[in-house]
Amino acid sequence: MTAAHPEPLPPQEETDRLLVGDHTDPHAVLGAHPAGPDTVVRTLQPGATAVHVLTDGTRHPLTHLTHGLFAGLVPGPVTHYRFEVERDRRPHVVDDPYAEPPTISPTDLDLIARGEHPRLWDVLGAHPHDDGVTFTVWAPHARGVRVAGDFDHWAGRATPMRHLGSGVWELHVPGARPGCRYKFRILSADGTWHEHADPLAFATEIPPATASVVTTSHHRWHDDDWTTRRAATDWHTAPVSVYEVHLGSWRVGLSYRELAAELGDYVQEMGFTHVELLPTTEHPFGGSWGYQTTSYFAPTARFGTPDDFRHLVDHLHSLGIGVILDWVPAHFPRDAWALARFDGTPLYEHADPRRGEHPDWGTYVFDLGRPQVRNFLVSSALYWLEEFHLDGLRVDAVASMLYLDYSRRAGEWLPNTFGGHENLDAVAFLRELNTAAHTRCPGVLMFAEESTTWPGVTSADGLGFGFKWNMGWMHDTLHYLRNDPVHRVHHHREIVHSTDYAWGEKYLLPLSHDEVVHGKGSLWQRMPGDDRRKAAGVRTLLAYQWAHPGKQLLFMGGEFGQPWEWRADESLAWWLLGEHGGMNHHRGIQRMVADLNEIYRREPALHTLDHTPDGFTWVRSDDAPGNVIAFQRHGTDGSVLVCVVNFAGVPHEAYRLGLPRAGEWQEVLNTDLSDYGGSGVINGTVHAVAEGMDGLPASVSLRLPAAGVVWLTPA
């Protein structure tokens, strides 16, 4: 090599930083660089015994300089080249990761820096191309980042990433393909290396393995008609009857595609309008039921691929069934390979444990004051809504987000800038989330699991949710029904209290998985008495729920009165529905729930005025001695349905109460039908006479079954 040519060895400081792993721009050292009329080419190939540059049909040998760094001078300019790398006397031809220009634009980087990127998943994560995969990650406090995976036998030393600015690191890896597993190796400020899964991984290994997986979608959607109808529907006036499902235990062992067929047929047969899935975002510990989320952009690999999950959603849409995902932005687990201390600092979590650690769940709390973290979470929500065509999100643990002192004692929390306990960052985030979801995805349903009296959860100038879980109704109703009927006279206020606030928010009435675990007992077990009375109690509870103002949600198993608590590692007790063994009570409850859904969808009075007092009128709310309540539901079309509930343990014969008009009334539901497992105390068609009662112009005499519900409509 002549003196006119520069040495292929870069300055020692550059070499040291490159080999140590804290060089923020390895592309400035590696790859092809002009050297006068010629070109210096450098490559990291640890373990190689020889490396040649292949260009214009010519092989140019490179010299091994140190620790796998090869370099050499190639005559003339070089535009297209490859490497021939020899290991164990076997040559392989590979492309150079450091020959590619950046794949992220300055505009994208600026949006990421400001926490305002509208589609973060388009620029971060692993994106396949014809010749390889581009890996991109946000790690602003890292000294260096490498990507390692199947494509380099998990060595990682030859794939340092470059820092493009805004905390973003990027590298295009030729030869990497969909299906490759990978992780990021991050050099923190203290000089230690940590290996992490990709925060924006679109697929993962099957737990307990924790690597991210490169993927691309080939699914072709067939749900245009569904999404068009969804966008045109006012869900506040439409029937919404939700079947909550844990995919792993609905029937153990089913894949997403098998669930599409079996769950789809079942939900359609039962008449539910939507399914709500306990979190299918990837989570390492199955016992968390998905609430310890580690991958906010990847469906769990337990049941198949992301495209398999798309097929499940698409198929349910073809049956007219919406799909809601339980989504967990309130906290995340401490697993060192996931989001925790991602770049060696509290990046996604708040640095102060008084705001960054959850005392009840042993988890980290997102730092919602950091724009990039809010952007990450909003992008996660939009990713599920846009890329998987989901019809809504149930946002978990909203109350824990809204209050800085949630589950904390004095001295364990930090007040906001005004000295209060409201989490102003969380308020801003939730408003941003709901605005983005409703704007970008017309017709989606956004549910808040919020258990306090925070004002305006479902108002446009409040948090902006579409619906709030009515936890007060749930607690009061279940507490009331636990009592033996002879004692319910002393608890009557509990069963009528819900209408004092029923129109303060737009509510969904939940009988969720949380109510059938941790020793609370199943719905069946909560009912006093023998099996016959327990079955009647479950039927009464569900018929009352379906008639009460608000939308409905029922956890799987509740629709046939599973007698024991839900067990996440076992299938539901489908065998109870068999034709033999005296289990008619469970078949009866199931048959009744299907009828509830059919009548609910058919009768406008049960859903069109759910969230206004115009849709509800008490007929009788003060019969505590008789354990009876009665009320009217009204529809926007002028229709009316009267619901009469007898919570007593004995029937009431010739029970007279008021009705809004004289004439024939049809009993459209009676929970005591023999087909439901009841004793057959029914009415059929009844005649109301023009004799006023309960402030109404007419009245009727009814047979009210013990622990039974009657629905009447004008004949």
Side-chain angles (χ1 to χ4, degrees):
M1 191 171 295
T2 67
H5 293 148
E7 289 293 328
L9 185 65
Q12 187 64 46
E13 180 186 357
E14 296 279 301
T15 302
D16 291 345
R17 291 177 59 204
L18 180 70
L19 296 177
V20 167
D22 68 349
H23 202 300
T24 59
D25 187 14
H27 291 67
V29 179
L30 301 175
H33 300 274
D38 301 321
T39 305
V40 169
V41 181
R42 305 186 189 98
T43 181
L44 266 177
Q45 300 291 344
T49 54
V51 179
H52 288 79
V53 177
L54 308 181
T55 178
D56 297 329
T58 305
R59 296 169 76 248
H60 302 276
L62 298 183
T63 301
H64 181 239
L65 302 177
T66 180
H67 294 87
L69 177 61
F70 289 77
L73 195 67
V74 177
V78 174
T79 54
H80 300 287
Y81 65 97
R82 305 183 79 190
F83 293 124
E84 181 187 85
V85 181
E86 184 176 313
R87 290 187 175 89
D88 300 324
R89 299 183 180 180
R90 299 167 63 182
H92 300 275
V93 176
V94 298
D95 291 304
D96 185 9
Y98 301 94
E100 300 291 336
T103 58
I104 301 182
S105 71
T107 299
D108 285 324
L109 292 172
D110 181 59
L111 290 169
I112 292 171
R114 290 189 279 128
E116 297 175 0
H117 203 291
R119 291 174 61 92
L120 197 62
W121 64 91
D122 281 344
V123 290
L124 298 182
H127 296 275
H129 305 279
D130 291 340
D131 63 335
V133 176
T134 299
F135 297 93
T136 316
V137 65
W138 180 63
H141 304 110
R143 286 172 50 185
V145 181
R146 295 167 172 168
V147 60
D150 293 335
F151 45 81
D152 71 342
H153 306 287
W154 291 92
R157 288 177 56 201
T159 49
M161 304 174 72
R162 63 179 153 197
H163 184 239
L164 298 179
S166 303
V168 175
W169 300 75
E170 178 248 27
L171 184 67
H172 180 78
V173 179
R177 293 287 182 266
C180 285
R181 299 171 302 155
Y182 71 98
K183 283 189 177 181
F184 295 115
R185 292 180 178 164
I186 297 176
L187 181 63
S188 62
D190 64 3
T192 58
W193 286 94
H194 306 273
E195 191 170 80
H196 290 269
D198 184 356
L200 273 89
F202 308 126
T204 70
E205 287 187 285
I206 300 174
T210 59
S212 304
V213 177
V214 178
T215 189
T216 189
S217 177
H218 299 285
H219 181 79
R220 297 182 63 183
W221 290 95
H222 301 91
D223 62 351
D224 286 352
D225 289 346
W226 165 262
T227 54
T228 299
R229 291 198 308 272
R230 183 189 74 187
T233 300
D234 177 3
W235 292 105
H236 292 126
T237 63
V240 176
S241 173
V242 183
Y243 185 56
E244 188 186 31
V245 177
H246 177 257
L247 290 179
S249 59
W250 187 73
R251 284 197 173 101
V252 170
L254 297 185
S255 67
Y256 286 130
R257 291 183 179 270
E258 291 166 334
L259 283 159
E262 297 190 29
L263 178 63
D265 288 349
Y266 182 74
V267 173
Q268 185 180 46
E269 178 184 346
M270 292 300 297
F272 289 95
T273 65
H274 293 75
V275 295
E276 179 181 304
L277 306 178
L278 267 64
T280 58
T281 41
E282 191 60 275
H283 49 284
F285 176 49
S288 78
W289 314 332
Y291 291 96
Q292 299 277 359
T293 296
T294 49
S295 295
Y296 278 78
F297 291 78
T300 178
R302 290 169 174 83
F303 315 121
T305 67
D307 269 2
D308 293 336
F309 183 71
R310 288 181 174 93
H311 172 80
L312 168 63
V313 176
D314 209 358
H315 183 70
L316 290 174
H317 285 172
S318 75
L319 301 176
I321 300 165
V323 185
I324 299 159
L325 175 67
D326 203 337
W327 184 68
V328 189
H331 64 116
F332 62 93
R334 295 171 178 260
D335 299 73
W337 55 268
L339 293 179
R341 303 297 192 262
F342 185 77
D343 63 359
T345 69
L347 184 63
Y348 287 92
E349 65 273 35
H350 198 287
D352 192 314
R354 290 172 293 179
R355 288 196 183 178
E357 297 181 10
H358 199 290
D360 289 346
W361 304 324
T363 51
Y364 285 130
V365 177
F366 283 103
D367 182 2
L368 297 176
R370 179 169 283 171
Q372 297 90 345
V373 173
R374 290 201 305 272
N375 195 188
F376 171 81
L377 288 171
V378 172
S379 291
S380 167
L382 294 175
Y383 183 77
W384 291 98
L385 297 174
E386 295 187 14
E387 298 295 327
F388 291 99
H389 289 207
L390 293 180
D391 303 291
L393 300 174
R394 178 264 195 185
V395 182
D396 178 62
V398 170
S400 75
M401 302 171 70
L402 289 173
Y403 297 96
L404 297 168
D405 59 346
Y406 184 89
S407 199
R408 297 177 189 272
R409 294 171 296 195
E412 296 179 344
W413 60 280
L414 288 177
N416 62 34
T417 54
F418 302 103
H421 67 163
E422 300 84 2
N423 189 333
L424 304 180
D425 294 329
V427 171
F429 161 70
L430 293 170
R431 288 173 174 168
E432 180 183 354
L433 167 70
N434 286 308
T435 297
H438 291 304
T439 301
R440 295 267 292 272
C441 306
V444 299
L445 305 172
M446 298 294 289
F447 298 89
E449 188 214 10
E450 205 287 308
S451 55
T452 74
T453 57
W454 185 280
V457 172
T458 59
S459 68
D461 57 353
L463 298 183
F465 283 96
F467 297 92
K468 171 179 172 173
W469 277 29
N470 193 334
M471 310 296 278
W473 172 89
M474 178 271 295
H475 285 298
D476 285 347
T477 300
L478 293 179
H479 187 269
Y480 174 84
L481 288 173
R482 271 190 178 276
N483 293 285
D484 189 277
V486 299
H487 300 302
R488 288 174 181 169
V489 62
H490 306 295
H491 300 273
H492 193 72
R493 177 63 183 160
E494 291 176 2
I495 206 65
V496 299
H497 173 55
S498 61
T499 56
D500 291 349
Y501 58 87
W503 302 280
E505 300 280 3
K506 300 175 181 69
Y507 283 116
L508 174 138
L509 312 178
L511 292 175
S512 74
H513 66 281
D514 279 330
E515 309 319 315
V516 293
V517 291
H518 301 322
K520 297 176 184 176
S522 66
L523 299 182
W524 178 277
Q525 288 172 311
R526 289 169 184 259
M527 303 302 159
D530 58 15
D531 283 355
R532 180 181 61 82
R533 292 185 177 183
K534 288 180 183 295
V538 172
R539 295 195 303 268
T540 297
L541 165 63
L542 298 180
Y544 167 61
Q545 177 188 15
W546 256 251
H548 191 284
K551 311 306 182 184
Q552 293 84 36
L553 177 140
L554 181 63
F555 184 58
M556 63 183 199
E559 81 277 13
F560 60 82
Q562 179 161 297
W564 46 80
E565 289 190 348
W566 168 53
R567 301 164 186 166
D569 56 351
E570 298 179 7
S571 294
L572 295 181
W574 297 109
W575 57 272
L576 292 174
L577 302 172
E579 293 299 322
H580 306 289
M583 296 300 178
N584 60 315
H585 291 311
H586 303 287
R587 293 198 306 276
I589 294 170
Q590 184 190 50
R591 186 174 294 121
M592 187 201 72
V593 170
D595 287 350
L596 286 177
N597 277 324
E598 191 277 326
I599 301 167
Y600 170 67
R601 298 172 79 155
R602 185 183 75 214
E603 295 290 340
L606 288 174
H607 57 258
T608 56
L609 288 171
D610 265 330
H611 306 295
T612 168
D614 294 339
F616 178 91
T617 306
W618 276 114
V619 174
R620 186 170 296 169
S621 63
D622 58 356
D623 187 6
N627 300 144
V628 174
I629 61 172
F631 53 85
Q632 300 178 60
R633 295 298 310 279
H634 307 281
T636 54
D637 62 347
S639 60
V640 62
L641 181 145
V642 174
C643 174
V644 187
V645 187
N646 177 21
F647 290 112
V650 295
H652 296 309
E653 296 287 348
Y655 189 91
R656 180 165 290 277
L657 79 165
L659 287 180
R661 68 186 71 165
E664 303 297 307
W665 286 74
Q666 179 66 40
E667 187 177 57
V668 294
L669 178 83
N670 186 315
T671 62
D672 204 44
L673 285 178
S674 57
D675 281 351
Y676 300 157
S679 57
V681 177
I682 60 176
N683 295 277
T685 301
V686 296
H687 183 78
V689 297
E691 296 177 7
M693 195 173 192
D694 297 312
L696 296 170
S699 59
V700 68
S701 178
L702 296 173
R703 303 181 71 203
L704 301 184
V709 179
V710 171
W711 290 359
L712 301 172
T713 60

